[in-house]
Amino acid sequence: MLSLVLDSMGSFCSRQKPYNEADTEENEQDAEIERRIARETKAEQHIHKLLLLGAGESGKSTIFKQIKLLFQTGFDEAELRSYTSVIHANVYQTIKILYDGAKELAQNESDSSKYVVSLDNKDLGEKLSEIGSRLDYPYLTKEITNEIKTLWNDAAIQETYARGNILQVPDCAQYFMENLERLSEADYVPTKEDVLYARVRTTGVVEIQFSPVGESRKSGEVYRLYDVGGQRNERRKWIHLFEGVTAVIFCAAISEYDQMLFEDETKNRMMETKELFDWVLKQSCFENTSFMLFLNKFDIFEKKVQKVPLNICEWFRDYQPMASGKQEVEHAYEFVKKKFEELYFQSTKPERVDRVFKIYRTTALDQKLVKKTFKLVDETLRRRNLIEAGLL
């Protein structure tokens, strides 16, 4: 009887062994998952979150593309080719805006005759305007390219282009029009420069991870940069990104002081930028967040400010020109910079004024300048980290 009991116990113990092995294996898997989570959490602590904010058309997405080109592997051929349809669409949209704008100016301006497209080109204009209204654009062919060039060179279209600030003409207009032949080649592959000029509105959120001095964390800080749509209807998507931000990079297109919003043609773009910057500065979640202000599109600003008075903008009403040429450009830039500095200190609570605030003059299309700017941003943020760690 005893032997039977012992046999039963032995068989019970032998049956238990596989379960114990399974438990051990499961525990090891759980431990490995925990270790992986711990490693990833530790790694995440070394990644600094940068938020790229600004109104629509401020150049944020061009900055974002520059980061990909400068500090990552850039665009492979498949990615470059994916921009072909975007670039062709930009061409069609531009010529439509210009032709429709010429018709509007011809009806409403006192010197209307100079905006009247020649009889020979009117049918061409109507045809291209219709194509520009479609949801799907045809690829550029040599025939269509020649028609676009003919219309572009019409004196009325050139006069209209000179009034581009009131017509939402994209900044890429002249660049693409000057490169039409190349853009319409059968084997066309967009260049990196073409991609930088390509305009497509950002919707949702895109992100990129990079280090301004190399991929290795030993050689510099690692950043995760988030770009979000700048148009008003996209801004509701910003809020969930506001937590845990190391620095806000706010892009302000200083050349747009005489332009109106795409989504609201009664609102001056610079006034919108001012109000948006003020709102972002007052967010409680940014109490300890560094602010990097990019005064962008300086290349356009330096040409425009010599022709279009800065005080045409309500915010700059008190501006007084002092000189001409480069001296006037610098004087105007310093005035704009001071306005943003004053806004920063007016909108920042006294206990927050010691947070990092830097202003950089930028041209998003200038790769060398963007690279230099981000290395300065990197140095500023690394210094802040050392101060917070008590090492400086």
Side-chain angles (χ1 to χ4, degrees), residues 250-261:
F250 191 94
C251 280
I254 58 173
S255 62
E256 298 185 343
Y257 60 89
D258 66 333
Q259 293 174 253
M260 299 298 173
L261 289 181

Side-chain angles (χ1 to χ4, degrees), residues 97-98 101-102 104-105 160-161 163-169 265:
I97 290 168
L98 290 170
E104 185 180 338
L105 291 170
T160 304
Y161 178 64
R163 300 286 302 279
N165 64 305
I166 63 169
L167 294 172
Q168 306 293 348
V169 176
E265 294 194 347

Side-chain angles (χ1 to χ4, degrees), residues 270-288:
M270 184 57 72
M271 296 306 295
E272 177 82 356
T273 296
K274 175 194 174 188
E275 291 166 16
L276 185 59
F277 187 51
D278 177 61
W279 178 79
V280 170
L281 287 170
K282 290 175 178 173
Q283 296 305 301
S284 59
C285 50
F286 292 149
E287 284 186 7
N288 300 310

